[in-house]
Amino acid sequence: MLATRTFENILDQIQSSSLNFQMQLSPFSATISLKKSFVKNKAGIPLVLTPPTSPSVLCQALLKKNSDLESAVKSLKSDYENSLIDCANAHETITKLETKLEESVLKNIEVKKEQREEVYEALQNELLEKSEHIEHLTMNNFEL
């Protein structure tokens, strides 16, 4: 397993090196002829590919990315918890305000009811006074 992996890594490095090479592969071996010159395009210009990144550099980059993602997840979890707390506080505030509103509406209804009763009593008293006055005038009119 380790030998196979090492073998494949060497083949990958040669194939991605941009060097001229000739390779004969069999299931168990490879015969490689390698030159110190770069592969050229049809115009004769050497094609230099970017060298492959070593596994340790890739590993370090992945570790950094993993660390960044973990910190982002922690930040998101913290934001989520804060949002839950804010939501609970908002719900509590809304409930309190609804209760106060209901109490205020009920109090307004009671005040208006009392005012109507006072107006009703005042009108009843005035009606009674006017009725008595009419009666008194009617009596005076008969006496004359």
Side-chain angles (χ1 to χ4, degrees):
M1 181 88 165
L2 183 59
T4 303
R5 207 177 308 144
T6 304
F7 181 81
E8 289 173 359
N9 283 341
I10 290 171
L11 291 181
D12 287 340
Q13 279 188 328
I14 290 171
Q15 289 172 341
S16 63
S17 69
S18 297
L19 293 173
N20 283 314
F21 68 92
Q22 182 180 4
M23 189 181 312
Q24 293 177 339
L25 288 174
S26 73
F28 303 105
S29 67
T31 304
I32 302 168
S33 171
L34 186 62
K35 295 183 179 181
K36 287 185 177 180
S37 63
F38 288 113
V39 175
K40 296 179 181 178
N41 64 11
K42 289 183 181 181
I45 299 171
L47 296 176
V48 181
L49 300 176
T50 56
T53 310
S54 68
S56 64
V57 172
L58 287 175
C59 186
Q60 288 174 353
L62 290 174
L63 287 173
K64 181 177 181 341
K65 187 172 184 176
N66 189 32
S67 174
D68 292 345
L69 289 172
E70 285 176 350
S71 66
V73 166
K74 285 180 185 177
S75 175
L76 288 172
K77 282 182 180 178
S78 175
D79 291 347
Y80 175 72
E81 289 172 1
N82 290 339
S83 295
L84 287 177
I85 291 169
D86 290 346
C87 181
N89 289 340
H91 187 271
E92 185 178 329
T93 302
I94 288 170
T95 304
K96 286 179 182 178
L97 288 173
E98 285 175 341
T99 303
K100 284 182 180 181
L101 179 64
E102 288 173 3
E103 290 172 356
S104 175
V105 167
L106 289 174
K107 189 174 182 180
N108 268 345
I109 290 172
E110 287 181 22
V111 166
K112 287 182 180 181
K113 183 180 176 184
E114 288 174 4
Q115 288 173 346
R116 272 191 244 122
E117 287 175 356
E118 288 174 4
V119 168
Y120 179 75
E121 285 180 24
L123 287 174
Q124 285 285 20
N125 288 338
E126 193 173 328
L127 181 62
L128 184 61
E129 286 176 11
K130 297 295 182 187
S131 294
E132 288 176 356
H133 183 67
I134 289 173
E135 253 183 65
H136 179 68
L137 287 176
T138 306
M139 293 291 238
N140 282 341
N141 197 15
F142 281 125
E143 290 179 1
L144 290 174

